[in-house]
Amino acid sequence: MKTDLRSKIIQTALLLFEEKGYHGVSINEIVTEAGTSKGGFYHHFSSKDELLYVIHDIFITYAIENAKLAARSYESPLEQLQAIIKSFVGVFHVYKPHLTVFYQEAKYLHPKYDEIIRKKRDEFRQIIYDVVKAGKERGEFRQELEVDIVVMAILGMVNWIYKWYNRDGEKTISQIADIFTDFILHAVLKAEYLDKDTYESILIEPFYFTKTKK
Amino acid sequence: MKTDLRSKIIQTALLLFEEKGYHGVSINEIVTEAGTSKGGFYHHFSSKDELLYVIHDIFITYAIENAKLAARSYESPLEQLQAIIKSFVGVFHVYKPHLTVFYQEAKYLHPKYDEIIRKKRDEFRQIIYDVVKAGKERGEFRQELEVDIVVMAILGMVNWIYKWYNRDGEKTISQIADIFTDFILHAVLKAEYLDKDTYESILIEPFYFTKTKK
Amino acid sequence: MKTDLRSKIIQTALLLFEEKGYHGVSINEIVTEAGTSKGGFYHHFSSKDELLYVIHDIFITYAIENAKLAARSYESPLEQLQAIIKSFVGVFHVYKPHLTVFYQEAKYLHPKYDEIIRKKRDEFRQIIYDVVKAGKERGEFRQELEVDIVVMAILGMVNWIYKWYNRDGEKTISQIADIFTDFILHAVLKAEYLDKDTYESILIEPFYFTKTKK
Amino acid sequence: MKTDLRSKIIQTALLLFEEKGYHGVSINEIVTEAGTSKGGFYHHFSSKDELLYVIHDIFITYAIENAKLAARSYESPLEQLQAIIKSFVGVFHVYKPHLTVFYQEAKYLHPKYDEIIRKKRDEFRQIIYDVVKAGKERGEFRQELEVDIVVMAILGMVNWIYKWYNRDGEKTISQIADIFTDFILHAVLKAEYLDKDTYESILIEPFYFTKTKK
DNA sequence: GATGAATGAGTATTCATTCAT
DNA sequence: AATGAATGAATACTCATTCAT
């Protein structure tokens, strides 16, 4: 298959970058590990920069799709927020190496790639923003909420997962998602919406958890 | 004073690292900007690695002291947590460049330095852990809380501030700290402790906000 | 026709080499521009070296034929020299790209090709040498002439044309040829042969000027 | 001396470039031959491009100075032209390697350097142009002369010297200069100025022939 | 004949570090 | 203490050439 070598290079680079950082890994190291040659690498990527971009793009594109789907699948902001968090946390199980590289090395993205990625990142943030805003306007979420800052708090706590999540750790990603959901809902919901029956009812396993079976 | 040049180098490096990343800045650039020479640099630092370590250490040492002081200054976990968050968030105002380097470049710390820093990082986490644990045990915090994960959520949301905080932004660091405190306390406190009178009373400006008068 | 692609490659390479130099053009660029593939290239040429050689050879072979023909067409050295200069200058109109590559890149010819080309270059020089020598011996040219050096002077002034000739320039190639002829004849002829009637009579347009009609 | 290594590098590169061409010589080869290191090279030159420029500049600057001095030293265009040719030809004795590189590799000069060099080249041509023009206007040179083209003829025949001149050859540079002068003067002077007594009188050895004693 | 994926030796350049002064 | 010339290992990237299809 035409894509074979390309995929192999991405996978190899991903793991190496995760372990040693983008600057800690040379092209030579990547191609040796991937079982190809420098020429092979440059046949598929125009530069090391581009490889970094591709890694960023794979993940952010996926994350946006998931978040949109989660939002679309429910009607009330409460449920939407739940679904988005569950989905978002779940992405870390599948794409932890991508995310690690994404957050650790974003600074070194070439400007031309950075712009593309920045737009997608903004798009992702906007999805969460809209849901929190709607929840506040509908009267389900507390009226004191500063939406901008709350969105950054949510993004921060979830994003940080890449620093500590371990597939073989004590808690599964699903449990972590539930704990985070519980934490966030307590932080944003009005007291009257806080009885378990309301919000725990939709804790179905979302699609992408089962997607990774490979 | 002997320390003068050393400080100048650290400050210069800090700002350059924040802007372009550790790998995007050469020793030459640092010494030129700092108005010294390569010899001057190596007189004060044994390597670029060491400089990176020093920057990490300055901040983490400071952050631990602050957190300990905050915890020591109050008796109830509720108040301690409030004070720690307020203190921790405030650190980003003063040490944003350090924090950016700390989170962005930790991966490139030489192992021998990494071990030292890792220990201090664990120490810092432990302080928060102890407070949340105590709050739960005392019955002020919700019993369902998974302390480990909640601590990581809190750390994540606060740490993430380095990615978006802007001294000239819409919200002051003090306002951000209040919003975060409100968010976290809603997330962890039992409903009965959630009346404003309880927890808003201690929103004193902590020491370090005034420390930076420079 | 088998030769089609080969010619296409030569023409394309010629123009690219003229513009950017042999080292400034990659095989990839040539084949892309020529609308073929690397395989297509190597089917027709054993190496980039060979392509360079072929370009050299096309021109030098042509130039020798022309010079011989010019010499054969007249009997007196005076007329022969005139005809050769006219012919030689004219070559620059048709083969400027070849000549540019010839003079600019000869140094990079592979030794095995270089030897062949060098021989032809010597052959060409010999033709002019013989004519000047004959002119001197016949008593038409000045007796003080150092034939060796004069030949190099003539070759130099004509060869240099590749550096400045422009098809769309102020002077046509035919005018340039006349000016050069006038210049050289004044330099070599004895005073008594210098009346216009003698040497301007043969300024027929030589064959190759009309050859390029395309 | 501060300039020692720099000069050594230039000299070494010059000879290597002359022999194998700019593209045929790697930085590695230069520094090995010059007895230094890559770092040493890049301490003195910002790039291989810059080295090429420096080589160009050394020669063209020198040639312009010489031509100006030659022109300034005489009053009549006839004598000026003689002096300039003598001086110009002499430059090839001293700077043959520079000139070889200059004419062979000019195409690869980085645009920013090319502009500087091109200006100096134009300045040089202008000096010769002015003298031929003046000679024509004063009535010493033939009125039929097309000054533009004649200047290119003169430049061409002299420049071409770099292709064949050999310090150990049959003719000394001074002899060559005389032969060229004789050739050119016959080509441009009116018949009445062509008696030897007029123009051979100033064939003093010009300054720069003795300058190179080092 | 033609393709283009793959090769790998070779290139210019960078940069942390050393050390004579 | 401080300088900055010199080092050389390491790096990203190029490109003529090969070869299975």
Side-chain angles (χ1 to χ4, degrees), chain D residues 167-194:
Chain D
R167 275 179 187 237
D168 306 321
E170 229 172 84
K171 299 274 192 299
T172 67
I173 197 69
S174 183
Q175 290 174 312
I176 293 169
D178 290 344
I179 296 167
F180 269 46
T181 306
D182 171 79
F183 187 94
I184 292 168
L185 290 186
H186 270 85
V188 302
L189 282 180
K190 281 185 178 163
E192 61 256 44
Y193 290 91
L194 269 178

Short mmCIF file of all heavy atoms in Angstrom, two decimals, chain D residues 167-194:
data_model
loop_
_atom_site.label_atom_id
_atom_site.label_comp_id
_atom_site.label_asym_id
_atom_site.label_seq_id
_atom_site.Cartn_x
_atom_site.Cartn_y
_atom_site.Cartn_z
N ARG D 167 51.47 31.12 -16.29
CA ARG D 167 52.64 31.86 -15.82
C ARG D 167 53.95 31.32 -16.38
O ARG D 167 54.92 32.05 -16.54
CB ARG D 167 52.74 31.78 -14.30
CG ARG D 167 51.91 32.81 -13.56
CD ARG D 167 52.10 32.57 -12.07
NE ARG D 167 51.21 33.42 -11.30
CZ ARG D 167 51.65 34.27 -10.38
NH1 ARG D 167 52.94 34.38 -10.11
NH2 ARG D 167 50.79 35.01 -9.70
N ASP D 168 53.93 30.03 -16.61
CA ASP D 168 55.17 29.42 -17.10
C ASP D 168 55.14 29.21 -18.61
O ASP D 168 55.95 28.44 -19.16
CB ASP D 168 55.40 28.08 -16.40
CG ASP D 168 55.36 28.25 -14.90
OD1 ASP D 168 55.87 29.29 -14.41
OD2 ASP D 168 54.79 27.37 -14.22
N GLY D 169 54.20 29.87 -19.26
CA GLY D 169 54.06 29.68 -20.71
C GLY D 169 55.17 30.38 -21.49
O GLY D 169 56.09 30.97 -20.93
N GLU D 170 55.01 30.29 -22.79
CA GLU D 170 56.02 30.82 -23.69
C GLU D 170 56.16 32.34 -23.59
O GLU D 170 57.25 32.89 -23.66
CB GLU D 170 55.62 30.45 -25.12
CG GLU D 170 56.73 29.83 -25.92
CD GLU D 170 56.18 29.34 -27.24
OE1 GLU D 170 56.07 30.16 -28.17
OE2 GLU D 170 55.82 28.13 -27.32
N LYS D 171 55.00 32.97 -23.50
CA LYS D 171 55.01 34.43 -23.47
C LYS D 171 54.79 34.94 -22.04
O LYS D 171 53.95 34.41 -21.31
CB LYS D 171 53.87 34.99 -24.34
CG LYS D 171 53.93 34.63 -25.82
CD LYS D 171 54.80 35.62 -26.57
CE LYS D 171 54.63 35.45 -28.08
NZ LYS D 171 55.03 34.09 -28.57
N THR D 172 55.52 36.01 -21.69
CA THR D 172 55.28 36.62 -20.38
C THR D 172 54.02 37.46 -20.48
O THR D 172 53.55 37.79 -21.56
CB THR D 172 56.44 37.56 -19.98
OG1 THR D 172 56.44 38.68 -20.89
CG2 THR D 172 57.77 36.85 -20.06
N ILE D 173 53.48 37.80 -19.33
CA ILE D 173 52.26 38.61 -19.32
C ILE D 173 52.52 39.95 -19.99
O ILE D 173 51.64 40.52 -20.64
CB ILE D 173 51.72 38.79 -17.89
CG1 ILE D 173 50.25 39.25 -17.93
CG2 ILE D 173 52.52 39.82 -17.10
CD1 ILE D 173 49.32 38.19 -18.43
N SER D 174 53.73 40.43 -19.82
CA SER D 174 54.06 41.72 -20.40
C SER D 174 54.06 41.64 -21.93
O SER D 174 53.57 42.54 -22.62
CB SER D 174 55.43 42.18 -19.89
OG SER D 174 55.75 43.45 -20.37
N GLN D 175 54.57 40.57 -22.45
CA GLN D 175 54.55 40.39 -23.90
C GLN D 175 53.13 40.28 -24.43
O GLN D 175 52.77 40.85 -25.45
CB GLN D 175 55.35 39.13 -24.28
CG GLN D 175 56.84 39.29 -24.07
CD GLN D 175 57.59 37.98 -24.30
OE1 GLN D 175 57.20 36.94 -23.78
NE2 GLN D 175 58.67 38.05 -25.06
N ILE D 176 52.36 39.51 -23.70
CA ILE D 176 50.96 39.37 -24.11
C ILE D 176 50.28 40.73 -24.12
O ILE D 176 49.55 41.08 -25.06
CB ILE D 176 50.22 38.40 -23.16
CG1 ILE D 176 50.78 36.98 -23.34
CG2 ILE D 176 48.72 38.42 -23.41
CD1 ILE D 176 50.32 36.00 -22.27
N ALA D 177 50.53 41.49 -23.09
CA ALA D 177 49.92 42.82 -23.01
C ALA D 177 50.33 43.66 -24.22
O ALA D 177 49.51 44.36 -24.82
CB ALA D 177 50.33 43.52 -21.72
N ASP D 178 51.58 43.57 -24.59
CA ASP D 178 52.03 44.35 -25.75
C ASP D 178 51.37 43.88 -27.05
O ASP D 178 50.96 44.69 -27.88
CB ASP D 178 53.56 44.24 -25.89
CG ASP D 178 54.27 45.00 -24.77
OD1 ASP D 178 53.60 45.82 -24.10
OD2 ASP D 178 55.47 44.75 -24.56
N ILE D 179 51.27 42.61 -27.21
CA ILE D 179 50.64 42.08 -28.42
C ILE D 179 49.17 42.50 -28.48
O ILE D 179 48.67 42.92 -29.52
CB ILE D 179 50.75 40.53 -28.45
CG1 ILE D 179 52.23 40.14 -28.54
CG2 ILE D 179 49.97 39.95 -29.62
CD1 ILE D 179 52.48 38.66 -28.26
N PHE D 180 48.51 42.41 -27.35
CA PHE D 180 47.11 42.82 -27.30
C PHE D 180 46.97 44.32 -27.59
O PHE D 180 46.07 44.74 -28.31
CB PHE D 180 46.51 42.49 -25.93
CG PHE D 180 45.86 41.13 -25.86
CD1 PHE D 180 46.50 40.01 -26.38
CD2 PHE D 180 44.60 40.96 -25.30
CE1 PHE D 180 45.91 38.75 -26.33
CE2 PHE D 180 44.00 39.72 -25.26
CZ PHE D 180 44.65 38.61 -25.75
N THR D 181 47.87 45.09 -27.02
CA THR D 181 47.82 46.53 -27.25
C THR D 181 47.99 46.84 -28.73
O THR D 181 47.24 47.61 -29.33
CB THR D 181 48.93 47.23 -26.45
OG1 THR D 181 48.82 46.86 -25.07
CG2 THR D 181 48.82 48.75 -26.56
N ASP D 182 48.98 46.21 -29.30
CA ASP D 182 49.22 46.38 -30.73
C ASP D 182 47.98 46.00 -31.54
O ASP D 182 47.56 46.71 -32.46
CB ASP D 182 50.41 45.49 -31.13
CG ASP D 182 50.61 45.44 -32.63
OD1 ASP D 182 51.17 46.39 -33.19
OD2 ASP D 182 50.15 44.44 -33.25
N PHE D 183 47.40 44.89 -31.18
CA PHE D 183 46.21 44.38 -31.88
C PHE D 183 45.06 45.39 -31.78
O PHE D 183 44.44 45.78 -32.77
CB PHE D 183 45.82 43.03 -31.25
CG PHE D 183 44.72 42.30 -31.95
CD1 PHE D 183 45.00 41.33 -32.91
CD2 PHE D 183 43.39 42.53 -31.63
CE1 PHE D 183 43.98 40.62 -33.54
CE2 PHE D 183 42.36 41.83 -32.25
CZ PHE D 183 42.67 40.87 -33.21
N ILE D 184 44.80 45.82 -30.57
CA ILE D 184 43.66 46.71 -30.34
C ILE D 184 43.90 48.09 -30.96
O ILE D 184 43.00 48.66 -31.59
CB ILE D 184 43.38 46.84 -28.83
CG1 ILE D 184 42.87 45.50 -28.30
CG2 ILE D 184 42.38 47.96 -28.54
CD1 ILE D 184 42.83 45.40 -26.79
N LEU D 185 45.09 48.59 -30.83
CA LEU D 185 45.35 49.92 -31.39
C LEU D 185 45.21 49.91 -32.91
O LEU D 185 44.65 50.83 -33.50
CB LEU D 185 46.73 50.43 -30.96
CG LEU D 185 46.82 50.81 -29.48
CD1 LEU D 185 48.18 51.43 -29.16
CD2 LEU D 185 45.70 51.75 -29.06
N HIS D 186 45.70 48.85 -33.54
CA HIS D 186 45.50 48.75 -34.98
C HIS D 186 44.01 48.71 -35.32
O HIS D 186 43.59 49.22 -36.36
CB HIS D 186 46.18 47.50 -35.54
CG HIS D 186 47.59 47.76 -35.96
ND1 HIS D 186 48.64 47.72 -35.09
CD2 HIS D 186 48.12 48.13 -37.17
CE1 HIS D 186 49.76 48.01 -35.71
NE2 HIS D 186 49.47 48.29 -36.99
N ALA D 187 43.26 48.11 -34.44
CA ALA D 187 41.83 47.98 -34.73
C ALA D 187 41.07 49.29 -34.56
O ALA D 187 40.09 49.55 -35.25
CB ALA D 187 41.22 46.90 -33.84
N VAL D 188 41.56 50.14 -33.66
CA VAL D 188 40.77 51.34 -33.37
C VAL D 188 41.36 52.66 -33.90
O VAL D 188 40.61 53.60 -34.17
CB VAL D 188 40.50 51.50 -31.84
CG1 VAL D 188 39.77 50.27 -31.29
CG2 VAL D 188 41.78 51.79 -31.07
N LEU D 189 42.67 52.71 -34.03
CA LEU D 189 43.28 53.99 -34.43
C LEU D 189 43.08 54.30 -35.90
O LEU D 189 42.99 53.39 -36.74
CB LEU D 189 44.79 53.95 -34.14
CG LEU D 189 45.24 54.17 -32.70
CD1 LEU D 189 46.76 54.09 -32.63
CD2 LEU D 189 44.75 55.51 -32.17
N LYS D 190 43.00 55.57 -36.19
CA LYS D 190 43.04 55.98 -37.59
C LYS D 190 44.43 55.66 -38.14
O LYS D 190 45.43 55.65 -37.39
CB LYS D 190 42.81 57.48 -37.69
CG LYS D 190 41.33 57.87 -37.58
CD LYS D 190 41.17 59.36 -37.81
CE LYS D 190 39.70 59.75 -37.76
NZ LYS D 190 39.54 61.20 -37.59
N ALA D 191 44.49 55.47 -39.43
CA ALA D 191 45.75 55.08 -40.06
C ALA D 191 46.88 56.05 -39.71
O ALA D 191 48.02 55.63 -39.42
CB ALA D 191 45.58 54.98 -41.57
N GLU D 192 46.56 57.32 -39.68
CA GLU D 192 47.63 58.31 -39.49
C GLU D 192 48.26 58.26 -38.11
O GLU D 192 49.36 58.76 -37.89
CB GLU D 192 47.14 59.73 -39.79
CG GLU D 192 46.01 60.20 -38.90
CD GLU D 192 44.68 60.19 -39.62
OE1 GLU D 192 44.42 59.17 -40.33
OE2 GLU D 192 43.91 61.15 -39.52
N TYR D 193 47.59 57.64 -37.15
CA TYR D 193 48.18 57.55 -35.82
C TYR D 193 48.95 56.24 -35.64
O TYR D 193 49.44 55.95 -34.56
CB TYR D 193 47.10 57.65 -34.74
CG TYR D 193 46.50 59.02 -34.66
CD1 TYR D 193 45.38 59.36 -35.40
CD2 TYR D 193 47.09 60.00 -33.85
CE1 TYR D 193 44.83 60.62 -35.34
CE2 TYR D 193 46.55 61.29 -33.78
CZ TYR D 193 45.41 61.59 -34.53
OH TYR D 193 44.90 62.85 -34.45
N LEU D 194 48.99 55.48 -36.70
CA LEU D 194 49.49 54.12 -36.54
C LEU D 194 51.00 53.95 -36.70
O LEU D 194 51.49 52.83 -36.74
CB LEU D 194 48.79 53.17 -37.53
CG LEU D 194 47.54 52.52 -36.96
CD1 LEU D 194 46.87 51.64 -37.98
CD2 LEU D 194 47.89 51.72 -35.71
#
